[in-house]
Amino acid sequence: GTLSFGFIEGPGWGWHAPAVLGCFVVSIIGFAAFLAVEHRSPRPLLPLSIFRGQAFSAAVADAALMTFGMYGLLFVLPLYFQAIRHVSAVMAGIALLPMSLTFFLVSPAAGRVATRIGPRALISCGMALTGLGMLVLSSPFIRSGYGLIGVALFAVGLGLGLITGPIATAAMANAPAARSGLSSGLVNVGRMVGATLGVAALGMLFGGRVEAAAQDVPRFMAGMHGAFLMGSVAEFAGAAIALLWFRRDSLETNHQATSRPQRAPNEGYTSRS
C-alpha cells in the first residue's frame, strides 16, 4: 500500500517530498520485516521454502507481470477512447470487445492444452503475444484508426487466454500437495500485487495528463505510449521467465509424483491427483 501510494502521489507531490520518501522507506522496512518474521516463525503464514521450486516461483512472477500490463491497459485505453476520441463510456467498453471476447473463447481450452504440451510453450507464447499487442498500442500509428487497435487487442486477448489457466495449473502442480491451497492463494496474491503496482506505475507516468488531455493532446499521448511500452516490457520479461524457468514436463512430472500416496511410518497420508 505504501509503495503504491508513493508511486501514485510522487508526480504531484514531488519525488523528494517527505511523505513520498517516507512511503518508500516504510514499504522497504515492512517487506524486510515480513520476510524476517516468516523466516523465523515455526508456523509461518508464508513458508519461504515454497519459493525454492523454480517452476512455482516462475508461475507467481508471471502472474504478477501479466496483470501489471493488463490492468495498466484497462486503466489507460478507456481514457484514451473517451478523452481523445470523444466516445461514450459504453462505446469505449464495446471497443475493448476484441480483447475480452478472445479471452473468453480461448481460456477454457488453454488449460487442457497445457496438460498435454506443458506450460512452457503456452505461457511464453501468451505473454509474448500480450507484450506484442501492447507494443503496437504504444506506437503513434494507433491514431490513424481503430483497425490497428482492434488487432492489438485481439493479440492481447489471445495472449491472456493462453496464460491465465496454465499459470494457476503450473503453480498448483509444482507445489507440495499439502500446500495446494497456499499455492493457489499465492498466485492470486501475485496477480493483485501486479495489478496494483501496474496502475501505480502508470500513475507515475501518466500523472495529470487526463485532466489536461483536451488542452494538451501530445502530452496525453506521450504518457499513454510510455505506459503501454512499460507494460509490454513486463510481458516480454514474463515470456523470458517462462522459457528459462519452466520445463516442458513440469506438469506431468509433478502430477505423477503427487498422484501416488505419500506414506510415512505411523502416519496417515493424503494424496491428490
Side-chain angles (χ1 to χ4, degrees):
T2 54
L3 182 64
S4 300
F5 189 85
F7 274 128
I8 291 171
E9 298 298 342
W13 292 0
W15 295 107
H16 298 291
V20 174
L21 293 176
C23 284
F24 293 141
V25 170
V26 170
S27 68
I28 294 171
I29 293 174
F31 183 63
F34 175 76
L35 293 180
V37 170
E38 297 304 288
H39 178 68
R40 296 178 180 180
S41 173
R43 300 182 63 185
L45 175 69
L46 174 60
L48 300 180
S49 60
I50 197 172
F51 291 104
R52 292 174 186 167
Q54 186 171 281
F56 177 79
S57 298
V60 175
D62 276 346
L65 290 169
M66 173 188 70
T67 53
F68 182 94
M70 180 184 71
Y71 276 79
L73 184 152
L74 293 175
F75 172 65
V76 174
L77 198 57
L79 297 176
Y80 164 74
F81 284 129
Q82 294 177 76
I84 304 300
R85 292 188 175 242
H86 306 293
V87 303
S88 66
V90 172
M91 292 305 298
I94 292 173
L96 295 175
L97 282 177
M99 178 179 67
S100 54
L101 285 178
T102 305
F103 173 81
F104 175 78
L105 294 173
V106 172
S107 57
R112 295 191 295 270
V113 175
T115 59
R116 290 196 292 268
I117 68 173
R120 181 183 181 185
L122 220 59
I123 295 175
S124 58
C125 287
M127 298 208 73
L129 277 171
T130 305
L132 182 62
M134 296 194 71
L135 189 62
V136 171
L137 291 174
S138 72
S139 73
F141 302 107
I142 64 167
R143 295 198 66 187
S144 60
Y146 178 76
L148 191 60
I149 297 176
V151 171
L153 289 175
F154 172 79
V156 171
L158 179 59
L160 293 174
L162 294 176
I163 299 165
T164 306
I167 282 181
T169 304
M172 294 278 288
N174 287 280
R179 302 289 186 186
S180 58
L182 176 65
S183 65
S184 176
L186 284 174
V187 170
N188 283 321
V189 169
R191 287 173 177 161
M192 294 302 101
V193 168
T196 303
L197 294 182
V199 175
L202 292 175
M204 177 182 66
L205 285 176
F206 226 53
R209 291 175 172 84
V210 177
E211 293 80 0
Q215 296 79 25
D216 194 351
V217 173
R219 188 178 175 215
F220 180 98
M221 296 301 296
M224 187 179 77
H225 292 156
F228 286 148
L229 185 60
M230 178 185 287
S232 69
V233 169
E235 301 298 329
F236 286 131
I241 288 173
L243 281 174
L244 295 174
W245 289 7
F246 280 119
R247 301 186 312 273
R248 186 185 181 279
D249 62 344
S250 59
L251 293 183
E252 300 169 1
T253 300
N254 196 69
H255 171 78
Q256 294 167 0
T258 56
S259 61
R260 294 191 297 268
Q262 304 298 314
R263 302 174 186 267
N266 301 321
E267 292 183 2
Y269 64 82
T270 59
S271 64
R272 95 185 146 95
S273 60

